[in-house]
C-alpha cells in the first residue's frame, strides 16, 4: 500500500510541470514490531519529489511563453505593450500634425490680410524650414541625409510640383476664407483619380469612381453658395490640388529605393523648392512692393505683425515635417483619414476664429465633400 502511494506521488509530480511542492501527509503506520505509530510525510529523510532518471527523460512542457510563435509573431504578452506604445506614438503624431496645421492657417491668414503678397509669404515659409533643418544638421540634432546627384534629379519634378501647389494655395487663402480654400482642397482625391486614369492609364474599382461623385458635388455646392466667392481664390485652390497630385505621382515614381527618412526628405524638398521659387517671387512682386507693404502692415498692426510672419513661416515647416514623419509610422489609408480629419479641424477652427459667415447650404456642401473624401480613402484600399 505504501509503495502504491509513493508511486502515485512520483507520477503525478512528474506529470505536472514546475508546480510548487506541497508536502503530502500519509496516515500513521506501525513501525517494526513494537507497535509504536509514527507519521510518514513527504518531508521525510528520502524526498519523494526528486526526479527519477526514467521520469526526467520524459519531455515536460514549459509554462513560460515562447519568444515567438511559429509564424514569427510575438506572443500577446510581449506584443501588447509594444502595440500600445505604437498607437500612442501615432496619436501624438496626429494631434501634433492637426494642431500645427490649425496654428499655421490662422497666422497665415492674419499675415495675408495685413500683407497681401503671397509670393513672399510662400518664400518665407520655405526659407524658415530650410534654415531650421540646416541648423539641425550642423548641430547634429538631426542626422544629415546621405544624398547624391541622382537623388536631387529625382526630387526636382517633386519640388516643382510642390512649389506650384504651395504658392497656389497661399494665393487662394489671400483671396478667400481659409475654410473655403480647404473645402475646395478636399477635392484633391478626385483630381488624383482623374489624372491617374487619363494621364497614367491606371484603372480603379467601381467604388473608387463612385466615391469621387460626392467630392465633386460637395465642392461645387460649396463654391456656388460661398458668400465671398472669388475666382482667383477658387482657381488657386484648384491648381493647388492638381499640383499636389502630380507631386505625389512624381514622388512615388522617382523616389523608389531612396533611403531618406521622412523628415530629411521634406527638408531637401523645401530647400529645392526655395531655390525654384525665389526668382519667381522677385519677378512677380519684388523688393519695392514688399518694402511698402511691410511698412504699411507694421504701421497698422504693430510689432505683432513680425511675430505673425515668423509664426506662420515656422509652423508651416513644422506641420509638414510632422506629416512626413508620420508616413514612416502609418499606412497610406491611415494617413488619408488623418488628412481628412485635419481639414475638418482647420475649417471649424477658422470659421470660429475669423467669424466666417456660413450658410446652411454651404455647410452641407462642405460636409458632403469631406464625407466623399473619407469614402474615397476607404474605397481606395
Amino acid at each position: 500500500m505504501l509503495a502504491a502511494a509513493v508511486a502515485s506521488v512520483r507520477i503525478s509530480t512528474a506529470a505536472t510541470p514546475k508546480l510548487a511542492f506541497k508536502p503530502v501527509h500519509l496516515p500513521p503506520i506501525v513501525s517494526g514490531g513494537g507497535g509504536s505509530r509514527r507519521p510518514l510525510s513527504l518531508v521525510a529523510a528520502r524526498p519523494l519529489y526528486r526526479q527519477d532518471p526514467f521520469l526526467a527523460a520524459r519531455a515536460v512542457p514549459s509554462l513560460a511563453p515562447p519568444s515567438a510563435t511559429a509564424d514569427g509573431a510575438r506572443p500577446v504578452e510581449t506584443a501588447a505593450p509594444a502595440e500600445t506604445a505604437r498607437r500612442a506614438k501615432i496619436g501624438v503624431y496626429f494631434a501634433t500634425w492637426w494642431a500645427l496645421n490649425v496654428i499655421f492657417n490662422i497666422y497665415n491668414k492674419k499675415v495675408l490680410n495685413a500683407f497681401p503678397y503671397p509670393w513672399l509669404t510662400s518664400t518665407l515659409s520655405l526659407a524658415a524650414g530650410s534654415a531650421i533643418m540646416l541648423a539641425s544638421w550642423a548641430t547634429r540634432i538631426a542626422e544629415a541625409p546621405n544624398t547624391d546627384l541622382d537623388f536631387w534629379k529625382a526630387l526636382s519634378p517633386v519640388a516643382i510640383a510642390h512649389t506650384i501647389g504651395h504658392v497656389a494655395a497661399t494665393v487662394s487663402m489671400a483671396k478667400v476664407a481659409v475654410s473655403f480654400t480647404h473645402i475646395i482642397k478636399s477635392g484633391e482625391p478626385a483630381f488624383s483619380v482623374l489624372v491617374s486614369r487619363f494621364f497614367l492609364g491606371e484603372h480603379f474599382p467601381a467604388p473608387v469612381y463612385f466615391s469621387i461623385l460626392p467630392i465633386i458635388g460637395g465642392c461645387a455646392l460649396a463654391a456656388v453658395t460661398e458668400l465671398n466667392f472669388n475666382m482667383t481664390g477658387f482657381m488657386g485652390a484648384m491648381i493647388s490640388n492638381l499640383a499636389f497630385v502630380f507631386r505625389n505621382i512624381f514622388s512615388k515614381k522617382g523616389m523608389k529605393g531612396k533611403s531618406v527618412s521622412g523628415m530629411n526628405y521634406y527638408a531637401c524638398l523645401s530647400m529645392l523648392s526655395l531655390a525654384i521659387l525665389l526668382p519667381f517671387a522677385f519677378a512677380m512682386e519684388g523688393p519695392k512692393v514688399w518694402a511698402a507693404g511691410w511698412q504699411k502692415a507694421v504701421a497698422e498692426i504693430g510689432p505683432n505683425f513680425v511675430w505673425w510672419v515668423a509664426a506662420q513661416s515656422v509652423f508651416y515647416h513644422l506641420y509638414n515635417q510632422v506629416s512626413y514623419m508620420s508616413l514612416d509610422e502609418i499606412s497610406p489609408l491611415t494617413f488619408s483619414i488623418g488628412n481628412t480629419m485635419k481639414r475638418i479641424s482647420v475649417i471649424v477652427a477658422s470659421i470660429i476664429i475669423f467669424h466666417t459667415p456660413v450658410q446652411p447650404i454651404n455647410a452641407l456642401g462642405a460636409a458632403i465633400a469631406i464625407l466623399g473624401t473619407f469614402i474615397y480613402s476607404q474605397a481606395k484600399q
Side-chain angles (χ1 to χ4, degrees):
M1 181 177 180
L2 176 59
V6 171
S8 174
V9 171
R10 285 183 177 177
I11 294 173
S12 62
T13 305
T16 306
K18 297 187 180 179
L19 295 180
F21 169 72
K22 294 181 181 180
V24 178
H25 297 279
L26 300 179
I29 63 173
V30 178
S31 175
S36 62
R37 303 170 66 88
R38 61 179 179 84
L40 176 63
S41 169
L42 289 185
V43 208
R46 189 169 71 89
L48 300 181
Y49 55 85
R50 67 180 177 85
Q51 282 187 321
D52 273 0
F54 172 75
L55 295 176
R58 298 179 59 184
V60 179
S62 173
L63 293 179
S67 59
T69 56
D71 59 354
R74 291 170 296 172
V76 176
E77 292 81 357
T78 306
E83 180 64 18
T84 302
R86 191 185 74 85
R87 292 188 179 217
K89 185 178 181 180
I90 293 174
V92 171
Y93 271 135
F94 272 15
T96 306
W97 177 21
W98 298 340
L100 292 173
N101 191 262
V102 169
I103 295 171
F104 158 72
N105 278 278
I106 291 170
Y107 279 112
N108 190 48
K109 184 59 178 176
K110 285 186 173 185
V111 169
L112 291 171
N113 285 342
F115 186 75
Y117 300 103
W119 288 85
L120 177 60
T121 305
S122 302
T123 303
L124 292 176
S125 301
L126 296 173
S130 301
I132 290 171
M133 289 309 301
L134 287 173
S136 299
W137 293 338
T139 56
R140 303 291 180 88
I141 295 176
E143 184 179 354
N146 185 17
T147 60
D148 53 18
L149 184 59
D150 290 337
F151 171 83
W152 292 101
K153 285 181 179 179
L155 191 63
S156 296
V158 183
I160 292 172
H162 179 74
T163 304
I164 296 172
H166 176 41
V167 174
T170 309
V171 169
S172 176
M173 282 190 277
K175 297 295 183 180
V176 295
V178 175
S179 56
F180 180 70
T181 298
H182 279 273
I183 291 170
I184 301 303
K185 282 180 67 61
S186 66
E188 184 177 326
F191 283 85
S192 178
V193 171
L194 296 176
V195 168
S196 299
R197 175 66 184 88
F198 293 107
F199 287 88
L200 303 179
E202 295 184 13
H203 296 272
F204 301 95
V208 173
Y209 292 110
F210 284 118
S211 69
I212 69 174
L213 296 179
I215 297 176
I216 297 173
C219 289
L221 182 61
V224 170
T225 58
E226 174 65 24
L227 294 175
N228 299 313
F229 180 83
N230 179 280
M231 182 56 72
T232 302
F234 174 75
M235 290 305 299
M238 296 287 281
I239 292 172
S240 178
N241 281 338
L242 189 61
F244 283 145
V245 166
F246 278 105
R247 179 194 66 179
N248 296 338
I249 292 173
F250 293 146
S251 182
K252 289 178 183 177
K253 287 183 173 295
M255 301 310 297
K256 287 182 179 179
K258 308 296 183 183
S259 57
V260 177
S261 67
M263 180 176 67
N264 284 334
Y265 178 82
Y266 181 71
C268 295
L269 181 62
S270 295
M271 294 174 191
L272 190 53
S273 294
L274 175 62
I276 295 170
L277 176 58
L278 201 56
F280 288 95
F282 275 94
M284 295 297 296
E285 294 172 349
K288 290 184 179 180
V289 175
W290 295 336
W294 187 275
Q295 291 178 356
K296 181 181 178 182
V298 171
E300 293 178 354
I301 306 299
N304 283 339
F305 174 73
V306 180
W307 158 247
W308 292 356
V309 173
Q312 74 91 23
S313 301
V314 172
F315 283 115
Y316 173 79
H317 172 78
L318 292 179
Y319 102 76
N320 276 288
Q321 178 177 295
V322 171
S323 71
Y324 272 81
M325 290 171 64
S326 67
L327 278 171
D328 292 338
E329 303 290 336
I330 60 179
S331 66
L333 173 60
T334 306
F335 185 84
S336 297
I337 295 173
N339 198 41
T340 302
M341 300 303 295
K342 177 205 74 175
R343 294 211 185 280
I344 295 174
S345 62
V346 170
I347 291 170
V348 173
S350 63
I351 289 174
I352 294 173
I353 292 174
F354 294 110
H355 305 287
T356 306
V358 179
Q359 295 181 345
I361 190 70
N362 186 259
L364 177 62
I368 293 173
I370 292 172
L371 177 62
T373 304
F374 178 78
I375 296 173
Y376 164 82
S377 66
Q378 299 293 319
K380 189 74 162 55
Q381 297 299 320

